[in-house]
Amino acid sequence: MLQKNQIHKVQITDLNNLGYGVGRAPDGRAVFVAGTVSGDTVRAEVIKLNAKYLVARSLEILTPSPDREEGFCQAPASCGGCVYRNLTYKRELELKQNYVKHAFLKAGLADVTVEEVRSTGITAGYRNKAEYPITGGKSGLFGGFYAQKTHRVVPADGCALQPDAFGEILRFFKESSRTDGGFVYECILSAPFAAEHLIFTLTRISPFAVTDNSSTAGSRTDDRTVFSVQRGN
């Protein structure tokens, strides 16, 4: 009988639209494993049991998939951002095309032709907006991203999808600011297309009970400041 915290060898055969690798448990139930891609074989620890499926955490990649890609982004995987960060871009486009095909099939429209996904081929630094919550702990200010489905701030200095300048501004703010009574600052950076300036919006959120690297969500205040930063050549 399967139990929580048991460790099993799982072969990942598919990837769902939430970015979870899908395999089968020894009893035949579907098992969802974050951070895996179709073709991986992993050692996984069961962290949740349901009558119809299991959720597991990958402990070790025993055999990597040909579609696996490492090192695309230096941000921690717990940032809750890209669900396809471990997948090659070519395979990601194929999956997205298949999701649309299956949606039409499910709707009874099997005769619809779904073309290949059209892409510029640019996979990094193309976004013009980012939001970074910045908070303080025992070791001082740090910023990054909210962990998935939480208000816990995961430290990070940037994101592969965002311009390098965003990370530089984030680091500058952290180094030149001070802790402000447990408040959390949410920085919104945007780079309007063809504009000469980056727009830096700072919002103070309160009240937050901050203890090192955790926080409890509060309410947004009207304490907002907007900066305009000249782009370099």
Side-chain angles (χ1 to χ4, degrees):
M1 180 179 178
L2 291 177
Q3 296 180 349
K4 190 175 179 180
N5 300 324
Q6 284 184 340
I7 297 175
H8 297 277
K9 181 178 178 180
V10 180
Q11 184 175 358
I12 306 301
T13 58
D14 201 358
L15 195 65
N16 69 11
N17 64 332
L18 298 178
Y20 284 82
V22 183
R24 288 290 171 183
D27 64 359
R29 277 183 287 181
V31 54
F32 299 98
V33 188
T36 62
V37 302
S38 51
D40 281 342
T41 300
V42 303
R43 286 179 64 248
E45 179 184 10
V46 178
I47 59 175
K48 180 179 179 180
L49 296 100
N50 182 280
K52 295 183 179 180
Y53 66 88
L54 310 176
V55 178
R57 174 173 51 241
S58 175
L59 301 177
E60 181 184 3
I61 306 294
L62 299 174
T63 305
S65 166
D67 293 325
R68 170 171 286 276
E69 180 179 74
E70 303 285 359
F72 172 70
C73 185
Q74 300 305 311
S78 56
C79 76
C82 306
V83 297
Y84 298 123
R85 63 183 288 160
N86 297 315
L87 193 66
T88 62
Y89 188 57
K90 178 177 181 295
R91 182 58 180 152
E92 178 183 339
L93 296 182
E94 292 172 351
L95 281 177
K96 291 178 176 179
Q97 180 186 20
N98 287 334
Y99 293 150
V100 177
K101 286 181 179 179
H102 292 157
F104 279 116
L105 287 172
K106 190 174 180 179
L109 300 172
D111 58 339
V112 174
T113 299
V114 179
E115 297 182 355
E116 293 183 358
V117 179
R118 298 176 185 178
S119 169
T120 63
I122 301 173
T123 60
Y126 60 85
R127 290 191 173 175
N128 64 3
K129 180 179 179 182
E131 296 187 9
Y132 301 100
I134 296 178
T135 187
K138 294 179 181 178
S139 56
L141 283 175
F142 63 89
F145 304 98
Y146 288 125
Q148 190 175 30
K149 298 181 180 180
T150 76
H151 282 86
R152 179 174 61 86
V153 179
V154 177
D157 284 336
C159 167
L161 304 184
Q162 297 159 5
D164 292 338
F166 285 13
E168 294 173 7
I169 294 173
L170 175 63
R171 288 189 292 273
F172 173 80
F173 176 79
K174 290 191 296 181
E175 292 168 2
S176 61
S177 301
R178 60 181 175 81
T179 304
D180 186 10
F183 284 89
V184 167
Y185 288 95
E186 184 178 69
C187 301
I188 303 178
L189 295 171
S190 59
F193 182 72
E196 295 182 355
H197 297 79
L198 298 175
I199 305 301
F200 177 78
T201 304
L202 180 63
T203 304
R204 189 169 72 166
I205 306 172
S206 69
F208 268 73
V210 179
T211 56
D212 202 13
N213 193 23
S214 62
S215 57
T216 302
S219 58
R220 188 181 301 271
T221 73
D222 292 327
D223 188 0
R224 173 170 293 197
T225 307
V226 178
F227 302 87
S228 181
V229 182
Q230 181 74 41
R231 288 183 188 229
N233 294 327

